[in-house]
Amino acid sequence: MMHCTMDDLLALRGGEASGWARSHAEACPTCRAELDALYQRVAQLRALPARRPARDRWPAVREAVVAERRRRRWRG
Amino acid sequence: MTIALAVPDLLVARAKSGDLEALEALYRAFETPVYNVALRMLRSPEDAEDVLQETFLEVVRSIKQYRAEGHLWGWIRQIAASKALMRIRRNQVRATDELHEEAAAGPGGSAIPARIDLERAFERLSETSRAVVWLHDVEGYTHEEIAEQMGKTVSFSKSQLARAHARLRGMLDDEGAAQ
């Protein structure tokens, strides 16, 4: 039996699947489970914990900005 | 990552006038979300920090042009994604993305640890695949927007997404089989 490809599953998620993929996924428990797993993976990715940068980069940004302003003033 | 950062208009106005304190306040407000977009798209924390720095330099230089059309985070995120994609292109000059993916997968290209969670599996994708998955599935970009930012076609973005999900599924299946 032919099952949905990953392209089909992504198209199903995006609401742009072919008629065949839509009717197949409705009837096929394996493909429905694959689609559920896809939704779960994406939900888990969205829930990944936020990381913080190890170093504070603001002083470098500030220094570059101040240097640019100084150069502009010198050029008048 | 869902970002719901409201920045007072007065702070943005002060930042536009060049006030360094206001610019630092913006940096502090968006430091973590920018770093995380970059970190998820790129491989190394150092690269992600560099993108964070480049992004805020651009924010400082360009904030006068920000017209408050849409959320400030959307504007800053666009800059961050663009900087991260530029870095990916630079990295690809050194080695092909395909080789990176294989190298990250270990010797032989298929050595997957017995236990691997989604975050580890995601880290094993190529930078291009990570960028497409993160921008599309997490940040909500369309394939058209990704294609435009990457200088590629819509079908490239779609095929990268499908390929990445197939690979994630395979790695996580291996984990299930090993348990």
Side-chain angles (χ1 to χ4, degrees), chain B residues 12-25:
Chain B
V12 176
R14 282 177 52 207
K16 281 183 164 195
S17 75
D19 180 333
L20 279 172
E21 274 183 27
L23 289 165
E24 181 175 358

Side-chain angles (χ1 to χ4, degrees), chain A residues 4-11 13-14 16 30 34 37-66 68-69 71-72, chain B residues 1-2 17-20 23-24 27-28 31-32 35-36 39-40 45-46 49-50 52-53 56-57 60-61 118-120 122 133-134 136-138 143 158-159 161-163 165-166 168-169 172-173:
Chain A
C4 289
T5 63
M6 189 56 75
D7 285 315
D8 292 325
L9 295 171
L10 289 166
R13 184 184 62 159
E16 50 187 30
T30 304
E34 286 289 343
L38 172 63
Y39 278 112
Q40 281 173 24
R41 272 200 305 278
V42 171
Q44 286 171 348
L45 276 177
R46 289 177 179 161
L48 285 179
R51 309 282 184 212
R52 287 192 57 78
R55 283 163 296 187
D56 183 4
R57 292 296 188 110
W58 173 251
V61 175
R62 190 183 197 286
E63 193 179 319
V65 171
V66 169
E68 275 181 21
R69 287 179 182 177
R71 276 197 301 274
R72 273 205 303 270
Chain B
M1 187 193 317
T2 305
S17 75
D19 180 333
L20 279 172
L23 289 165
E24 181 175 358
Y27 177 89
R28 299 293 170 210
E31 173 185 23
T32 298
Y35 176 71
N36 277 272
L39 183 66
R40 296 307 180 187
E46 289 75 21
E49 280 189 21
D50 287 347
L52 170 65
Q53 186 171 326
F56 274 91
L57 266 174
V60 171
R61 287 173 184 145
L118 180 64
E119 191 169 15
R120 298 284 90 73
F122 184 71
V133 171
W134 196 261
H136 186 274
D137 288 349
V138 180
H143 285 297
K158 285 184 176 179
S159 68
L161 188 68
R163 186 178 159 199
H165 272 291
L168 286 173
R169 178 190 176 282
L172 296 168
D173 269 4

Side-chain angles (χ1 to χ4, degrees), chain B residues 80-94:
Chain B
S82 170
K83 300 285 182 197
L85 289 172
M86 276 199 297
R87 191 160 285 258
I88 288 172
R89 280 195 288 273
R90 272 211 304 275
N91 291 345
Q92 283 171 340
V93 171
R94 294 188 209 125

